[in-house]
């Protein structure tokens, strides 16, 4: 149980930390800060940190494990996300008479100006009562601030595989808008992915490039299909 006002810490550089009460923390201010924890790389480490170029932010977002990278891919694919911050702030609050701190994995701003704090944890670790209790404690505090709180575990393998594949076509600057418009129009009546690829190839007179544009449209959700099964020529297409 929290018995004192929760606080926060933001990092702006190595020597500049900002502290205050969580109730006074404006989410947009978090996106101006650096990740609260420093990402470290060294030989023999057991986790897998890195930086991912996000189409949502048009910049790099850090992650500390392969599971965090998987969660980041799914958030980047979500067209409702407009900003993503990694290790956004440190929450500091009293729990059972002891001061505790907690750094969530991501803060997401949505296109309707809502904010969601995301914690990434392997499903097996949520079976630990201590971990589950700590996350409930953090979630209660964050939700009292008016932000949503979501725990993310391992995604469905087929879904992750498809989105990881489509992420190779996420960069808008690689695809001129004229070509995007032509392919979007050419695939409008296509019933399947195979038919869409053929229509796009005819529209651009360049089948390999047209295939890339179709996959870019799938990433941008200008074309929709079921991504919970492996993509194939017979995959049904639909317009958004």
């Amino acid at each position: 149980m929290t018995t004192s006002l929760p606080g926060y810490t933001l990092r702006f550089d190595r020597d500049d930390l900002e502290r205050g009460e969580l109730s006074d923390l404006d989410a947009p201010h978090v996106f101006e800060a650096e990740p609260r924890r420093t990402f470290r790389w060294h030989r023999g480490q057991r986790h897998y940190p890195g930086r991912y170029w996000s189409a949502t932010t048009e910049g790099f977002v850090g992650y500390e494990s392969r599971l965090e990278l998987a969660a980041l891919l799914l958030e980047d694919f979500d067209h409702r996300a407009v900003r993503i911050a990694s290790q956004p702030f440190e929450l500091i609050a009293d729990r059972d008479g002891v001061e505790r701190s907690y750094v969530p994995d991501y803060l997401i701003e949505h296109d309707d100006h809502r904010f969601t704090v995301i914690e990434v944890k392997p499903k097996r670790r949520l079976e630990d009562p201590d971990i589950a209790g700590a996350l409930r404690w953090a979630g209660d505090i964050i939700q009292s601030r008016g932000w949503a709180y979501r725990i993310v575990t391992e995604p469905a393998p087929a879904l992750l595989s498809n989105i990881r594949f489509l992420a190779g076509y996420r960069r808008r600057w690689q695809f001129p808008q004229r070509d995007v418009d032509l392919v979007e129009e050419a695939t409008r009546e296509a019933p399947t992915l195979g038919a869409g690829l053929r229509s796009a190839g005819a529209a651009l007179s360049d089948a390999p490039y047209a295939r890339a544009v179709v996959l870019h449209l799938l990433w941008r959700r200008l074309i929709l299909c079921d991504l919970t099964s492996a993509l194939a020529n017979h995959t049904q297409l639909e317009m958004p």
Side-chain angles (χ1 to χ4, degrees), residues 38-126:
T38 302
F39 297 99
R40 301 182 184 277
W41 294 267
H42 60 83
R43 181 175 297 179
Q45 68 186 25
R46 299 180 63 183
H47 61 293
Y48 186 82
R51 296 198 304 164
Y52 164 82
W53 190 89
S54 164
T56 300
T57 65
E58 295 188 334
F60 287 101
V61 179
Y63 58 88
E64 291 187 304
S65 68
R66 286 183 172 89
L67 186 57
E68 282 189 21
L69 175 57
L72 181 54
L73 276 165
L74 268 63
E75 295 302 325
D76 198 31
F77 181 66
D78 188 342
H79 65 285
R80 297 168 299 180
V82 296
R83 285 197 287 186
I84 304 172
S86 174
Q87 314 290 318
F89 58 87
E90 181 181 12
L91 171 68
I92 303 169
D94 179 274
R95 182 185 175 207
D96 298 330
V98 178
E99 185 176 90
R100 309 284 187 181
S101 67
Y102 166 70
V103 179
D105 292 313
Y106 297 108
L107 175 68
I108 311 295
E109 181 181 359
H110 303 281
D111 57 6
D112 59 0
H113 306 296
R114 291 182 304 107
F115 297 90
T116 299
V117 174
I118 290 178
E119 174 66 26
V120 182
K121 277 284 184 289
K123 190 176 297 183
R124 58 177 172 77
R125 297 195 65 190
L126 298 179

